Amino acid sequence: MTMVVDTMNSPNAAHNHDRYPDHYIRRILASTKTIAMVGASPDWSRPSYFAMKYLQEKGYRVIPVNPRAAGQTILGEKVYERLDAVPAPFQMVDVFRNSDAAGSITDEAIALAQDKGIQVIWMQLGVRNDAAAARAEAAGLRVVMNRCPKIEWGRLNNELSWGGFNSRIITAKRRRI
């Protein structure tokens, strides 16, 4: 388990990567304006596509990064091959790749952090790489793993309650009494 320690001047809040305090997620979502989404898909039926669309509708600029779709356009944004090819600054790297790939993506983001203004590595649902998280935190970046910014934004802004959800946990499993 990777631990993160907070002081008044640190961007990281005291928590482990199994559970994030709401204020930590809120601070990240409030301070982020532009997201580089690594693994964004031009296929409208893929989760990355509708996560990108949702985040755009909430006011974020989402820049797709996908070597197989480089040069194409997804939801009005040009797709780039790598993070270093993105010409604009961005605060968050949203990793829509597997846990193993998250390591090299995190390393690339750490190397670019100062030039691009990167503050956050966010690994999507099912994506967790504790070693990469430790490297990012050592470099001064905030880290979120195994979460979706789309779901977290909706949960923290009470949008999930519109669909009958407001439990802080999204699951299809029946609750034990």
Side-chain angles (χ1 to χ4, degrees):
M1 169 178 4
T2 304
M3 296 298 291
V4 179
V5 179
D6 189 29
T7 66
M8 290 289 264
N9 298 321
S10 171
N12 298 312
H15 67 276
N16 67 52
H17 288 290
D18 296 320
R19 181 174 172 88
Y20 298 96
D22 287 349
H23 68 85
Y24 181 74
I25 301 294
R26 272 193 186 98
R27 189 178 345 172
I28 289 171
L29 294 174
S31 65
T32 299
K33 304 296 178 222
T34 305
I35 301 167
M37 185 179 284
V38 180
S41 175
D43 181 351
W44 67 269
S45 66
R46 302 290 299 168
S48 62
Y49 186 93
F50 53 81
M52 181 175 169
K53 183 177 173 83
Y54 180 90
L55 292 168
Q56 285 179 325
E57 290 171 357
K58 299 306 171 195
Y60 296 98
R61 179 175 183 203
V62 184
I63 302 170
V65 177
N66 182 333
R68 285 186 269 168
Q72 296 180 32
T73 301
I74 301 174
L75 295 167
E77 289 284 349
K78 181 179 176 183
V79 182
Y80 295 91
E81 184 176 2
R82 294 175 320 280
L83 290 173
D84 66 356
V86 177
F90 49 93
Q91 296 79 44
M92 180 193 294
V93 175
D94 185 3
V95 181
F96 251 105
R97 298 282 314 279
N98 66 38
S99 297
D100 291 334
S104 61
I105 294 165
T106 298
D107 292 339
E108 183 182 4
I110 291 167
L112 295 169
Q114 190 171 8
D115 290 341
K116 297 291 185 179
I118 301 168
Q119 301 167 4
V120 179
I121 304 295
W122 191 302
M123 299 180 206
Q124 278 290 335
L125 290 172
V127 182
R128 183 172 180 136
N129 187 320
D130 288 298
R135 291 192 303 274
E137 289 166 345
L141 302 178
R142 295 183 193 133
V143 177
V144 177
M145 296 189 287
N146 193 27
R147 299 284 187 278
C148 175
K150 172 192 176 295
I151 292 170
E152 293 301 311
W153 198 100
R155 180 180 68 79
L156 293 170
N157 290 281
N158 295 318
E159 285 193 2
L160 294 178
S161 63
W162 297 350
F165 302 101
N166 201 9
S167 65
R168 298 180 45 88
I169 299 172
I170 299 173
T171 182
K173 294 181 180 177
R174 195 176 294 236
R175 198 172 188 183
R176 291 186 182 195
I177 299 174

